[in-house]
Amino acid sequence: MNEPRWPVADLDPVRRLRIMAASIPGAAYAEKVLARSVHEVWAVAGDLEAEFPMLLADVRTMRIAHADGEHLEAIAVGRLGQRARFDVVLRPGWCWMQSRFLHGGMAAAPEGDGTRVAFVGALRIPGIHLADPLLRKLPLGAGVLRRLEGRLQART
């Protein structure tokens, strides 16, 4: 008896992040094509301890507390001294982070001669779905991608 063959959909990291952002209430999402290779972009975007605090205005420091392959535990300290422990999955072109109160992620995939990069951030609090239409309109993610582009320019 032949088993049915199910369709397979291979999604690049940016498309996967776009789908996740669409499913999270109140998510701030942005994507942009940069005239850099995925390797160059991910050297900045994937450097959680040195570069990530430069990309997010409200993060002062991020420290990797534990690593087991692509699964990390990170401690972030905010500009006002607040702390958060994040469970992180970090692999080339993909970063997903969750704390008790936040979701966040970045992704990168080749596009033409450049790289499409995306960012998503969202609060994980009760009732956030009520503010979803307003939060989705805020340009929070675009600022992160502008700072990423600036950090890439500073490296050359």
Side-chain angles (χ1 to χ4, degrees):
M1 179 171 189
N2 289 337
E3 291 191 32
R5 291 189 181 247
W6 293 97
V8 176
D10 287 329
L11 299 176
D12 68 43
V14 172
R15 287 182 177 154
R16 188 168 51 243
L17 192 65
R18 191 182 307 141
I19 290 167
M20 290 176 73
S23 72
I24 297 170
Y29 179 81
E31 64 181 66
K32 184 175 189 172
V33 176
L34 303 176
R36 301 294 181 112
S37 71
V38 173
H39 178 74
E40 289 173 296
V41 170
W42 206 250
V44 174
D47 185 347
L48 298 183
E49 289 185 317
E51 294 287 350
F52 199 71
M54 307 297 265
L55 303 179
L56 280 134
D58 56 345
V59 175
R60 185 172 54 196
T61 63
M62 180 160 287
R63 180 180 57 84
I64 305 302
H66 179 74
D68 183 11
E70 65 184 26
H71 297 275
L72 312 173
E73 179 183 320
I75 307 299
V77 178
R79 300 274 179 221
L80 302 176
Q82 68 275 34
R83 296 180 170 284
R85 186 192 71 75
F86 285 87
D87 292 317
V88 180
V89 175
L90 180 65
R91 62 178 72 109
W94 179 259
C95 178
W96 182 255
M97 304 187 296
Q98 274 186 199
S99 75
R100 182 174 172 198
F101 296 111
L102 298 167
H103 292 290
M106 291 191 80
E111 180 154 321
D113 292 336
T115 299
R116 181 169 293 277
V117 63
F119 170 82
V120 65
L123 294 171
R124 296 178 69 189
I125 57 175
I128 194 68
H129 67 281
L130 298 172
D132 184 72
L134 174 65
L135 292 171
R136 288 196 186 271
K137 292 179 184 176
L138 296 176
L140 303 173
V144 172
L145 298 183
R146 274 193 309 276
R147 287 187 286 280
L148 172 61
E149 192 168 25
R151 297 298 298 162
L152 286 162
Q153 290 173 353
R155 287 181 165 217
T156 57

